[in-house]
């Protein structure tokens, strides 16, 4: 019986490349899916397009994600929902005042979500929730509820430390959320069409919203 050939370095290199390629596929598929979901919406995106953009077959995609719904859920977990652990840890370790914490939360959210492709997910969900209640329920559970819980803790911290007056927390959290939703909707609708003179500076907008939330619009004498 002939002796099988001994593997050489040239044989090993293609195998290593294939192994690396296989490991990279889930991440590449999620990146491609995020781009297409944001560009076209959930309903209009086809799994064949996602696979083609990632450079794999549709069958390969289904090995990792058995349906378009599961693919979308994985995109949300990878880009938004999976960040709540680190955000809660940062809140736990934050040593500054609650005013600084509110500003930090809004700036950080814009830097990590608003400035990225993931910012389009919120608009997608708001646009298509009625057609896909399962997607809406998933987003409520994985993003909205944890987000509200986190912001309630931020505001409650300020109340407990005597820095904020007592608030109706269930509604007060929307005062923090609403400006960020506006920025997302603006970014993915009107912003690409507006002239430079009418563009909104996100950081300037956030800082102004924080100032309004913390100090209101009345002069101190008028308030008194």
């Amino acid at each position: 019986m002939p002796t099988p050939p001994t593997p050489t370095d040239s044989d090993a290199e293609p195998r290593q490349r294939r192994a690396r390629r296989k490991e990279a596929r889930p991440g590449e598929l999620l990146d491609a899916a995020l781009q297409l979901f944001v560009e076209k919406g959930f309903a209009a995106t086809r799994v064949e397009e996602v696979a083609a953009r990632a450079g794999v077959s549709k069958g390969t995609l289904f090995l990792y994600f058995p349906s378009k719904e599961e693919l979308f859920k994985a995109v949300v977990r990878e880009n938004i929902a999976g960040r709540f652990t680190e955000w809660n840890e940062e809140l736990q370790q934050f040593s500054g005042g609650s005013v600084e914490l509110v500003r930090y939360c809004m700036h950080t959210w814009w830097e990590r979500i608003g400035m990225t492709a993931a910012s389009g997910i919120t608009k997608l969900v708001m646009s298509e929730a009625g057609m896909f209640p399962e997607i809406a329920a998933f987003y409520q559970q994985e993003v909205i509820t944890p987000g509200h819980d986190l912001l309630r803790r931020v505001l409650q911290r300020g109340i407990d430390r005597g820095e904020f007056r007592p608030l109706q927390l269930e509604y007060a959290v929307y005062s923090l959320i609403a400006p960020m939703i506006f920025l997302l909707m603006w970014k993915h609708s009107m912003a690409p069409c507006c002239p430079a003179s009418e563009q909104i500076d996100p950081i300037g907008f956030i800082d102004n919203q924080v100032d309004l939330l913390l100090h209101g619009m009345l002069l101190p004498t008028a308030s008194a």
Side-chain angles (χ1 to χ4, degrees):
M1 180 181 296
T3 304
T6 303
T8 64
D9 291 342
S10 60
D11 295 325
E13 187 175 344
R15 287 199 300 273
Q16 292 169 354
R17 284 201 301 269
R18 286 195 296 272
R20 286 196 298 269
R21 173 68 179 153
K22 185 176 181 180
E23 292 169 0
R25 280 173 183 165
E28 292 173 352
L29 285 164
L30 291 178
D31 289 343
L34 173 61
Q35 294 168 13
L36 284 164
F37 284 140
V38 170
E39 290 171 13
K40 305 182 66 173
F42 180 80
T45 297
R46 297 182 297 114
V47 291
E48 293 89 340
E49 296 175 289
V50 176
R53 184 167 293 195
V56 301
S57 67
K58 184 172 71 170
T60 298
L61 184 151
F62 283 129
L63 288 176
Y64 297 102
F65 309 105
S67 67
K68 186 168 73 169
E69 289 77 10
E70 291 304 314
L71 177 62
F72 178 78
K73 291 177 181 180
V75 167
V76 172
R77 291 189 178 110
E78 175 72 16
N79 291 278
I80 303 178
R83 292 181 173 269
F84 281 109
T85 298
E86 68 183 78
W87 286 335
N88 278 288
E89 289 174 355
E90 289 181 33
L91 170 58
Q92 198 71 28
Q93 298 168 7
F94 194 86
S95 59
S98 297
V99 170
E100 291 78 14
L101 179 57
V102 168
R103 193 182 307 275
Y104 174 79
C105 286
M106 295 178 77
H107 277 250
T108 300
W109 181 89
W110 180 253
E111 292 166 2
R112 300 181 190 177
I113 302 297
M115 292 175 62
T116 72
S119 62
I121 293 175
T122 298
K123 180 176 181 290
L124 180 157
V125 173
M126 294 179 71
S127 301
E128 304 190 52
M131 295 184 291
F132 301 99
E134 179 189 347
I135 292 300
F138 165 80
Y139 195 78
Q140 176 75 38
Q141 177 182 330
E142 297 279 333
V143 177
I144 296 176
T145 297
H148 283 207
D149 291 344
L150 178 62
L151 291 176
R152 273 195 294 270
R153 289 177 59 204
V154 169
L155 296 176
Q156 187 64 58
R157 178 187 189 268
I159 295 170
D160 294 343
R161 290 162 59 107
E163 297 169 309
F164 298 157
R165 64 178 176 82
L167 302 166
Q168 268 191 294
L169 294 180
E170 291 302 314
Y171 294 113
V173 295
Y174 289 105
S175 297
L176 302 178
I177 294 170
M180 313 313 291
I181 298 296
F182 169 80
L183 274 182
L184 291 182
M185 300 302 287
W186 174 267
K187 176 181 176 180
H188 291 279
S189 58
M190 299 303 297
C193 310
C194 283
S197 61
E198 297 179 18
Q199 290 294 335
I200 294 174
D201 168 37
I203 300 303
F205 175 83
I206 289 171
D207 286 339
N208 187 68
Q209 291 298 310
V210 171
D211 182 68
L212 284 173
L213 288 169
L214 296 174
H215 305 296
M217 299 179 69
L218 292 176
L219 289 169
T221 53
S223 177

